[in-house]
Amino acid sequence: MADRTVAHLVVDRLRAWRVPRAFGCPGEAIAPVVGALDAAGGDPEFVPARHEESAAFMATGHAKFTGGLGVCLATQGPSAVHLLNGLYDAKLDSKPVVAIVGEDVTGPLGEVHEEIGLTRLFGDVCHQFVRYGRTPEQVPALLDQAFRTAAATRSPTCVVLPRALQEATVPQLQPHTAGVLTATPGEPLARVLPHQADLDAAAALLTVGQRVAILVGQGGRGAAEQIVALADRLGAGVAVSLLGKPVLDERLPFHTGVLGEVGSTAAAQLMGGADTLLLVGTNDPWTDYFPMPGQARTIQIDIDGRRIGTRYPVEVPLVGDATETLRALLGQVADRPDRQWRATVEGAVDRWRTEAAAHAAAPAEPVNPQLVLRELSARLPHAGSVAVDVGSVLSWYARHLQLPPGVDAQLCGALGSLGCALPYALAAKLARPDVPVLALLGDAAMQLNGLAELITVAHRWQDWADPRLVVLVLNNRDHSGLGDGRWMPGVPGRRADVPYAGWARLLGLHGVRVDRPELVGAAWDEALAADRPCVLEAVVDPAVAPTAPEPALADLRSLFADGDATRRIRDRMMAAERQIVEAEDLV
């Protein structure tokens, strides 16, 4: 029997932490670990990507779609540098990812080919934990600490393993280093509830609020039942962040949609009229759309106390699990008989939905991109996953794609990096090969890394129980898109017009190209019925640009016909302040 090496030990630790696969690009400095993974019989498996950035996005996508630990592999030098974008995605969206980086440096340090100071390189993005392995005896505890830190802090960590160490024979290990008892990665390590005094203060504030708005982020996952029950009890309206879009059933009559520049007018109006704001697990950056400072008394629920008050002034902080905290609040908040505010919110939702439908039906040359997403909304399978890229497609997704309950959707939220959707979709499909997956992206993202990662799709799809992975490419044939939250007008011909559907067919996949609006629905039917992955290329009008809704300040001013907004807003705030003080005196 061949001697066991540290590379085999790495495989053992991945298995112990229930990591089903690791994503990466093979290279000399990580070759022993890749070889041990190849010999592991798929438990765990090694998934080769075309580029290390895609591998890191796949690892982060795995963490986002499964709630587990993502793992990516790379070698020193440029390979390690390429991991950074996907790891920053994990850091900013709070997902546990472990990067295992191989190093093959011989001779004196300082002038070696491809040598980069790896601890400094990863020192910011993996600031919670970056360590070098030095001896075989260190490796089990080192890896366990990296995995444990990633899970506990919901952040990326990094372990650097020199190639000579990976090849080293493993000595007889002490029993206590041979196994680890883990918490479920990505989940709270304990049941966390706010102090009762804080719950009492939050319940009192919600009780006296006359116009309650609830903003839900990704931290509200799993708490849909409690959010809806509390909204019904208070007669509140609900808006969501982009990351919170899959949390609630979007067909609810008081669901105003996504808040922000890519969101709905109804969500902006909800914030513009609110006197009380409940933030549930959100770190939404579009603070221009929050109520004006001083307008709304605010409660924030978050499992991470470091986030409370970073986006908006908070009066009552509630550090705890969203589900448990909301359940506790429900026991202290009475039903509100007056439904005037709820009726106002539902009216705004009805107007917005009519407006959105009209926008999608507007003529365009050749196809209105909003129509493409709206036609998918009626056909979206009631299971599976959706991965969304950055660009104008993000706006159309936010406004026109209605997610059925049970359909998960993920995007690069805080970082906003182009090129995430197809790696995300691959990670989602590998995690659940029996359900359909859709990737929504523009031609810029497709040219960035999508064309290459279609090779990975072509290599893997025949192992999937359900072969459907549909890649929508909105081909507007220029350089327009959303960059840093702003629409950038394009220059026709700046980007090459690639035959995306044709490229898919060359790889043995299915390809559909549609450039007539009356055929968009049939194109979706064909793509979703294909017996293999499909690229649906929609040739869309670059002149159809997202327009941001008016933020809360403008909406508040529009409430007053006489134009004396400042005086009336001040009077309204002073009256609300008096009501709350009187209520607190009674409590």
Side-chain angles (χ1 to χ4, degrees), residues 356-371 517 544:
H359 286 319
E365 182 57 42
V367 174
N368 187 332
Q370 299 171 94
L371 176 67
V544 179

Side-chain angles (χ1 to χ4, degrees), residues 333-530:
V333 176
D335 283 333
R336 175 166 296 149
D338 182 5
R339 293 286 157 169
Q340 181 178 357
W341 172 240
R342 170 61 70 82
T344 300
V345 171
E346 292 182 356
V349 172
D350 289 341
R351 290 190 297 275
W352 159 248
R353 290 175 178 172
T354 300
E355 178 186 339
H359 286 319
E365 182 57 42
V367 174
N368 187 332
Q370 299 171 94
L371 176 67
V372 179
L373 273 296
R374 199 163 189 88
E375 288 288 343
L376 170 61
S377 194
R379 295 169 169 83
L380 192 63
H382 285 216
S385 305
V386 178
V388 190
D389 221 298
V390 174
S392 58
V393 68
L394 192 61
S395 181
W396 313 140
Y397 156 78
R399 295 173 179 176
H400 296 285
L401 186 61
Q402 192 175 81
L403 299 174
V407 171
D408 195 7
Q410 296 288 351
L411 50 93
C412 185
L415 182 62
S417 178
L418 200 68
C420 63
L422 197 45
Y424 277 13
L426 268 162
K429 191 66 180 180
L430 292 170
R432 296 188 63 193
D434 58 333
V435 298
V437 173
L438 290 96
L440 313 177
L441 56 158
D443 50 357
M446 195 64 179
Q447 291 189 24
L448 181 67
N449 60 14
L451 293 171
E453 292 308 330
L454 274 184
I455 299 172
T456 310
V457 174
H459 178 63
R460 307 283 309 207
W461 76 268
Q462 295 191 40
D463 296 331
W464 300 338
D466 184 329
R468 290 177 294 174
L469 192 160
V470 180
V471 180
L472 169 67
V473 182
L474 295 180
N475 183 5
N476 63 12
R477 309 172 309 280
D478 74 354
H479 196 63
S480 57
L482 283 174
D484 299 326
R486 297 180 296 275
W487 177 258
M488 298 183 299
V491 177
R494 179 179 288 171
R495 183 183 301 118
D497 189 7
V498 175
Y500 303 101
W503 170 237
R505 290 191 289 269
L506 283 174
L507 293 174
L509 308 177
H510 195 63
V512 181
R513 187 176 190 271
V514 60
D515 57 7
R516 292 168 56 187
E518 68 272 17
L519 298 179
V520 170
W524 274 119
D525 292 336
E526 181 179 343
L528 290 166

